[in-house]
Amino acid sequence: MTLPLRPDLVGLEPYGAPQLDVPTLLNVNENPYQPPEVVVEAVVAAVREAAHGLNRYPDRDFLDLRAELAGYLATESGAVGLDASRVWAANGSNEVMLHVLQAFGGPGRVAMSFAPTYSMYPEYARDTLTGWHVVPREPDFSVDPDAAIAEIRRVRPAVVLLASPNNPTGTALPIETTRRLAEATRDTGPDGAATVLVVDEAYAEFRREGTPSAVTLLPEHPHLAVARTMSKAFAYAGARIGYLAAAPELVDALRVVRLPYHLSAVTQAVARAALAHADVLQKQVAAIRTERDACVAWLRERGFVAVDSDANFVLFGTFADRRSVWQGLLDRGVLIRETGPEQYLRVSIGTPEEMAAFRDALTEVTGA
């Protein structure tokens, strides 16, 4: 028997980084610190309360959670005018992005991005039968706004996806570049409509001081959306909570394509428990920033290229045979990521002990 698999899916493998049982896991940009005990206790209490009502469907529009996410985002970014009507949430920012492509992509439409960037973007396009167009970044991994605008006007994409800080390079978009792209995409979409410009700020809390968020541009641009996640800064990768801020009409379009009751009562409770302790969790972020900057400095001292990072990872190189370096580290119990531009590797920032293990292993493998 042959299954009627879509022809474009034949032979493809599921997305995913290696999940290996080694002592030092530095490959998927996780927060290395467990949630503090005060957060764990709050989560347990919240789940216990939610469990009493699990015979009922959850709040379909989860307005309380959306209002609290809006409050956190306004405080974190300095943005104004955010409320529940301007925030959406789903099971990780992956699902948020899929909602965007379901609502604004589809057959005959194109999504666009600038490579190297997050490897899931073309999969969102594929899964929604949306065309995919990618444009190379500059040699320093920046996006040239003039070249980007020219290509957007030529291609007329329905959606442009821009990660800032970018994965896997860690580079953040200057706010002026984002502003120019937002101004230029007001009428560059299908049939003269706007192009939906999505700025993916999954790692925004790790950005260096003085790097503003695109959330501050939302009042001026109703076709701009800014995606975030609780996976990284909140040490909540296992909770699967992502969210997006945008104009109410854009959020309402995502409500049309979401599955019924897609955000469980338990997920909503867990998210609200963490938001109530955002200040505690942000102390971990400061420690990770410090460790990241120390990692960049150490790599450069030993002759490696290390890209300035506003995220919780560092892209470094260059290697004639990066696979052998990756394998050498793995043989010594350190798992990092072989991704992004050729000749580069990416290391997530771990605890001081984990980073010491990484440095020792890299020194052994390369002799640096």
Side-chain angles (χ1 to χ4, degrees), residues 158 181-188 194-198 218 220-225 246-247 249-250:
L181 291 172
E183 290 170 352
T185 49
R186 292 178 180 275
D187 60 356
T188 55
T195 295
V196 174
L197 179 63
V198 182
L218 288 174
E220 310 163 43
H221 304 290
H223 61 297
L224 173 65
E249 54 267 37
L250 196 156

Side-chain angles (χ1 to χ4, degrees), residues 241-270:
I241 302 158
Y243 58 105
L244 173 148
E249 54 267 37
L250 196 156
V251 170
D252 285 345
L254 306 186
R255 293 174 59 223
V256 172
V257 299
R258 61 102 171 99
L259 293 173
Y261 310 106
H262 73 288
L263 212 55
S264 78
V266 171
T267 299
Q268 293 178 43
V270 166

Side-chain angles (χ1 to χ4, degrees), residues 100-101 103-112 130-131 152-160 184-197 223:
V100 170
L101 269 292
F104 300 106
R109 294 191 169 189
V110 173
M112 177 175 169
T130 305
I152 289 169
R153 287 174 176 159
R154 187 186 72 82
V155 175
R156 305 195 70 83
V159 179
V160 169
T185 49
R186 292 178 180 275
D187 60 356
T188 55
D191 302 318
T195 295
V196 174
L197 179 63
H223 61 297

Side-chain angles (χ1 to χ4, degrees), residues 254-338:
L254 306 186
R255 293 174 59 223
V256 172
V257 299
R258 61 102 171 99
L259 293 173
Y261 310 106
H262 73 288
L263 212 55
S264 78
V266 171
T267 299
Q268 293 178 43
V270 166
R272 296 181 68 189
L275 286 165
H277 294 85
D279 56 339
V280 176
L281 291 161
Q282 293 305 300
K283 293 177 181 178
Q284 299 173 333
V285 170
I288 293 169
R289 281 199 201 104
T290 299
E291 198 66 47
R292 174 200 64 204
D293 294 343
C295 178
V296 169
W298 182 86
L299 287 165
R300 289 174 177 171
E301 287 169 2
R302 278 145 187 82
F304 296 105
V305 175
V307 180
D308 285 331
S309 177
D310 282 284
N312 67 334
F313 55 83
V314 175
L315 188 74
F316 70 101
T318 58
F319 305 103
D321 183 2
R322 69 173 179 177
R323 180 69 181 185
S324 68
V325 177
W326 177 87
Q327 186 63 55
L329 293 174
L330 181 60
D331 292 342
R332 290 161 176 79
V334 178
L335 179 61
I336 65 171
R337 191 73 181 271
E338 184 182 15

